[in-house]
Amino acid sequence: RFFGLSVDLLCIAGADGHFKQVNPAFTDVLGWSADELLDRPFLDFVHPDDVAATAQAAEQLMRGQTTSLQIDNRYRTRSGQWRWLSWRAQGLGEAGLIYATARDVTEMRASADLLRASEENLAVTLQSIGDAVLATDAAGRVHRLNPVAERLTGWTESQARGRPVEEVFHIVNETTREP
């Protein structure tokens, strides 16, 4: 019953490199039937770039070199796509079994990649602007400075980050020269 309830992928694998039991989440995420998953070595489903690390992790668990581990790898779906799975596994070497749970983190990784690309794009844009740019959060604490703003204020971005804008950038009246 427990296997059937989990939305995460749950499995038992053997020392022979085959799954012994998989839960319905495996078929939901990967599209393979339970029989197809049980009939072939689990490494057959692993991305070629991840096979060595996956095999090494399984071997460490079987030999008792570690009692539990975490590993991320890609599994091929029935449609030929790759899904990122984040595994947590525990080995019972004396029984020749590995108990594991995996979570599909494909969308999370894709979102993180998009965020990273967006942040890099913003950084490049700020670096190329010829005017000083000083960005603050809603509370008025400095979040970013571009190089022109660093030269103008005398603060580096890392020194200024989190400080009140009034401390970093002194705004004065052009006529009276007063703050």
Side-chain angles (χ1 to χ4, degrees), residues 14-170:
D16 62 356
H18 283 76
F19 291 118
K20 302 303 176 192
Q21 187 174 357
V22 296
N23 72 334
F26 261 92
T27 58
D28 293 345
V29 171
L30 300 177
W32 303 99
S33 72
D35 288 339
E36 290 171 313
L37 290 162
L38 298 176
D39 286 344
R40 295 171 50 195
F42 59 79
L43 289 177
D44 284 0
F45 300 98
V46 176
H47 190 281
D49 294 343
D50 302 334
V51 167
T54 303
Q56 180 182 14
E59 190 172 320
Q60 287 176 336
L61 286 169
M62 285 298 176
R63 288 189 175 169
Q65 293 171 321
T66 184
T67 55
S68 64
L69 62 79
Q70 178 184 350
I71 185 172
D72 289 0
N73 62 15
R74 291 162 284 185
Y75 262 62
R76 188 178 65 240
T77 66
R78 189 163 193 28
S79 67
Q81 296 176 323
W82 296 99
R83 304 297 295 177
W84 276 102
L85 301 180
S86 184
W87 293 88
R88 288 189 177 46
Q90 189 165 31
L92 277 74
E94 67 280 357
L97 297 174
I98 296 172
Y99 287 80
T101 178
R103 181 162 290 172
D104 183 355
V105 294
T106 307
E107 279 77 24
M108 185 175 66
R109 288 180 73 109
S111 294
D113 289 346
L114 286 173
L115 179 59
R116 195 170 17 263
S118 177
E119 288 176 349
E120 288 173 11
N121 186 33
L122 176 60
V124 168
T125 300
L126 286 175
Q127 298 293 319
S128 66
I129 293 175
D131 294 325
V133 177
L134 190 144
T136 65
D137 61 18
R141 291 182 302 268
V142 175
H143 184 66
R144 290 185 185 258
L145 294 176
N146 73 347
V148 177
E150 287 181 333
R151 287 191 298 277
L152 181 67
T153 64
W155 291 76
T156 66
E157 184 177 72
S158 62
Q159 292 169 328
R161 188 172 288 122
R163 295 182 182 269
V165 68
E166 301 83 15
E167 183 179 336
V168 176
F169 187 66
H170 303 285

